[in-house]
């Protein structure tokens, strides 16, 4: 196992999928201090309606009053021992070659994410050879 923190995989979650690449490649693509490399939680308001509850069958029901609370949801992705997603080969302005990453979700969702976040022109292709891009955030 490597001790270089820039060679460890990092997963970026976005609407419709995720992109997994080495931290060094992601920093090269988005910049060292890019906001996209720092996850931001989503705060949701959860409302529970008033209802009756029967704890034991045959016993009388009790009333539960309605209430609400805030839930902080951090970005998540599915994890298991198998590599998730499809391989994508990415290159961008200043990338010294082609870098591989794994994409879950559709490739068009990755394109939408790159248009919204990448300040560099990015192109990628799938293992089957389908080319996408260039994608770049407009100035």
């Amino acid at each position: 196992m490597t001790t270089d923190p820039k060679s460890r995989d990092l997963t970026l979650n976005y609407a419709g999928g995720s992109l997994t690449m080495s931290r060094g490649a992601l920093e090269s693509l988005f910049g060292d201090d890019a906001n996209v490399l720092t996850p931001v939680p989503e705060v949701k308001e959860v409302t529970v309606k008033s209802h009756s509850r029967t704890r034991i069958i045959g016993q009388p029901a009790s009333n539960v009053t309605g209430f609400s609370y805030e839930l902080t949801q951090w970005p998540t992705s599915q994890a298991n021992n198998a590599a998730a997603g499809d391989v994508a080969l990415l290159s961008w302005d200043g990338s010294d070659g082609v870098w591989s990453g794994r994409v879950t979700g559709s490739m068009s969702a990755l394109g939408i994410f790159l248009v919204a976040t990448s300040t560099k022109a990015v192109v990628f292709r799938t293992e089957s050879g389908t080319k996408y891009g260039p994608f770049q955030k407009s100035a």
Side-chain angles (χ1 to χ4, degrees), residues 2-8:
T2 183
T3 58
D4 181 9
K6 294 199 183 263
S7 67
R8 297 190 180 220

Side-chain angles (χ1 to χ4, degrees), residues 12 19 21 23-32 34 36-37 90-95 110 113-114 117-123 135:
L12 297 179
L19 172 64
M21 292 179 74
R23 180 178 187 90
L26 290 170
E27 285 178 355
S28 173
L29 174 58
F30 296 109
D32 292 344
V36 72
L37 298 177
L90 296 96
S91 61
W92 54 90
D93 292 342
S95 70
L110 174 59
F113 170 70
L114 291 172
T117 57
S118 178
T119 58
K120 299 177 182 177
V122 183
V123 295
F135 301 101

Side-chain angles (χ1 to χ4, degrees), residues 40 71 77 126 138:
V40 177
L71 173 69
S77 60
T126 62
S138 56

